[in-house]
Amino acid sequence: MLKMSTLLLRTLRDDPADAEVASHRLLVRAGYVRRIAAGVYSWLPLGYITYRNIERIIREEMDEAGFQEVHFPALLPREPYEKTKRWEEYGSDLFRLQDRKGNDYLLGPTHEEMFTLMVKGEYSSYKDLPLSIYQIQTKFRDETRPRSGIIRGREFVMKDSYSFDIDDEGLVKSYNQHRDAYIKTFDRLGLKYNIVSAISGAMGGSGSEEFLAPCSTGEDTYVLCEKCGYAANVEAMVTKVEPTSTALPANMEAFDSPNTPTIDSLVELLNSKFGSGHQASDTLKNVLLIADDKAISVLVPGDREVDLKRLQANLPGVQELRLFEDSDFAKFPGLVKGYVGPQDAKKLGVQLLADPRVLPGSHWITGANKRDTHARFVTNGRDFEVEKYVEAAEVRAGDLCPKCESPVVIDRAIEIGHIFQLGRKYAQALDLTVLDKNGKSQVVTMGSYGIGVSRAVAAIAEQTHDEIGLSWPREIAPADVHIVATGKEDEVFRAALTLAEDLEEKGLRILFDDRREPSAGVKFKDAELIGIPFIVIVGKALAEGKVEFRVRSTGEKTEIELLKAVTEISTKVLNS
RNA sequence: CGGGGCGUAGCGUAGUGGCUAGCGCGCCUGCUUUGGGAGCAGGAGACCGGAGGUUCGAAUCCUCUCGCCCCGACCA
């Protein structure tokens, strides 16, 4: 039993000045966490109990799924990370240090290397596979900007799992096992979430999905179809194009368009020259970029911007992507800034890519590659050849769902889990092979699966809190029932203690506010702030042989006869 | 890393060159109070982030520095 009179806890009446998001504000005010440095937090008793409840649930579900728990140090030697090139690639996000002999060490930002080496050290046959192992460990990442309290810290706890399979088919199976285990885990944690298809990006590999917990303060933006449930990362959103008319357009025709280097100025001219009704979406924007030293032109409708992140994610292999600068224009004298068109791309030595919205057969108003000149009826397939279609244009709310064609919304969320078919990158780099049936050496294929454990505390707080405080799901909460004794009579405190003990006997976890000094109001406020799901008040009503039972999340209040309190409360709570 | 803001007691803050740095919460002692963050009285707690400078005099002005928060870039 936790007793408020002795609990290391001081709730704060005012919001801390350095906390912005709700989870941070409330976790600090309710005495769950304290900041130690930017992105570094300590847990007080209530916070640590809550944290451990989440850890326990995750561990139970991982074990249930048949994954084995291992544990690696946080302090790691340089060599394995040298072999996978991550000592370099992780850049300044990596906490590095030296021992007294001057040898390089790092604080693990993630543990792919260690897991791979552990399996390599123990296993050498296909018969040993598949294998899934996990750990719950503190990770260190020297983020340039830690933020939002414990949502993005520089030290945080992650559950990371890895699967090892002999072939791709096995990998998919292991991946799906993890996916199922994650669904169970997050359901049990009481989180609302969407499973969102993601793009694995630079890490290579094919399948990748994120578990995103919707919440206005989340830092991830994603696309959601409220009708059919389709959800995707902005990078991974697939464009659904509306069908276009197939009528053959007139021949391409150049026209004078002085001083119209921007889409807006061009549309204005079009409306005065060819009659009103022209829109930015009738024009074709030619965005020139340098992709790893190669010039590319990306075509998007004039009313859309190119989303560089999205474009890069859809150009596998491209390391560096940036917009043309003046010095680049100087190298391509045929490209006239503000008047670029796709017609002469090949001649000018520019690779021509297009967003799917630029349909074959569609015609556009675009630059004529000549100062102060544009052209209309410029037709895809007739007047220019697109080399490759690629998702490039920004995604907007109202775009059509690729599955059911209803308009999508754009929402914010916290990433609470990520599952990912990693493939052979690490196994290859660290030479993890096993012998197959034929005695031939095969590189193992891996999956990697993460849950932000400490972040989950914040995510749950974000999704469950209200204006007056935290409000935990029962399994997460630091106690099942918060018993508040009010008044000054010893009798009240005795009755409350007895009730607390009896409920504990029934298997309930009790937080007992046995403080004599604070007034009833203070205790009520504290109980609401701390967020235990059920609050029992022993006080005024005791004179009539009753106690008050409150449900934190709904505010519902009922009176219960003291004599029946133990049975009634324990039944209500255990069945909740 | 670019832009913006902020460092004064455990927390929230006032104080823009002049006396002993003020207030609220919290904390300690006593009395009264006790169902919605009680009242009165007394008290403890601050080298005003740090270093240097200007000045008769600096929390306040200047320079450097450290730290923190927010937006963006980055990261997952």
Side-chain angles (χ1 to χ4, degrees), chain A residues 412-458:
Chain A
R412 296 181 74 85
I414 301 173
E415 180 187 341
I416 45 171
H418 194 167
I419 55 176
F420 181 13
Q421 296 177 27
L422 198 58
R424 298 184 167 78
K425 177 178 168 172
Y426 291 93
Q428 206 122 48
L430 296 165
D431 195 29
L432 169 60
T433 59
V434 294
L435 293 179
D436 68 10
K437 270 182 196 149
N438 308 312
K440 242 183 86 188
S441 187
Q442 297 284 354
V443 177
V444 167
T445 184
M446 295 168 57
S448 108
Y449 317 91
I451 294 179
V453 183
S454 45
R455 176 181 282 184
V457 180

Side-chain angles (χ1 to χ4, degrees), chain A residues 397-418:
Chain A
D399 286 352
L400 297 185
C401 168
K403 270 199 183 149
C404 76
E405 301 191 20
S406 354
V408 297
V409 297
I410 292 185
D411 204 5
R412 296 181 74 85
I414 301 173
E415 180 187 341
I416 45 171
H418 194 167

Side-chain angles (χ1 to χ4, degrees), chain A residues 230 232-240 310 356 391 395 400-402:
Chain A
Y230 169 85
N233 234 325
V234 169
E235 285 82 359
M237 164 77 171
V238 180
T239 301
K240 181 80 193 178
R310 183 163 144 79
E391 298 288 351
V395 173
L400 297 185
C401 168

Side-chain angles (χ1 to χ4, degrees), chain A residues 238-241 299 310 354-360 389-393:
Chain A
V238 180
T239 301
K240 181 80 193 178
V241 259
L299 304 179
R310 183 163 144 79
D355 188 79
R357 287 178 182 80
V358 184
L359 289 168
Y389 288 89
V390 61
E391 298 288 351

Side-chain angles (χ1 to χ4, degrees), chain A residues 147-216:
Chain A
R147 69 185 94 178
S148 309
I150 53 175
I151 293 177
R152 174 175 297 267
R154 294 191 296 168
E155 175 180 325
F156 58 97
V157 178
M158 182 159 126
K159 188 288 302 177
D160 50 332
S161 312
Y162 300 86
S163 65
F164 299 84
D165 281 279
I166 184 77
D167 53 23
D168 293 350
E169 201 185 320
L171 170 58
V172 171
K173 210 171 147 195
S174 296
Y175 178 90
N176 285 326
Q177 279 172 2
H178 275 90
R179 195 176 191 276
D180 291 345
Y182 273 35
I183 289 171
K184 280 192 196 160
T185 306
F186 291 127
D187 284 348
R188 232 180 115 186
L189 290 175
L191 277 163
K192 289 192 284 286
Y193 61 92
N194 288 302
I195 304 176
V196 169
S197 36
I199 282 189
S200 16
M203 305 207 58
S206 39
S208 171
E209 287 169 295
E210 290 174 2
F211 288 73
L212 298 185
C215 131
S216 58

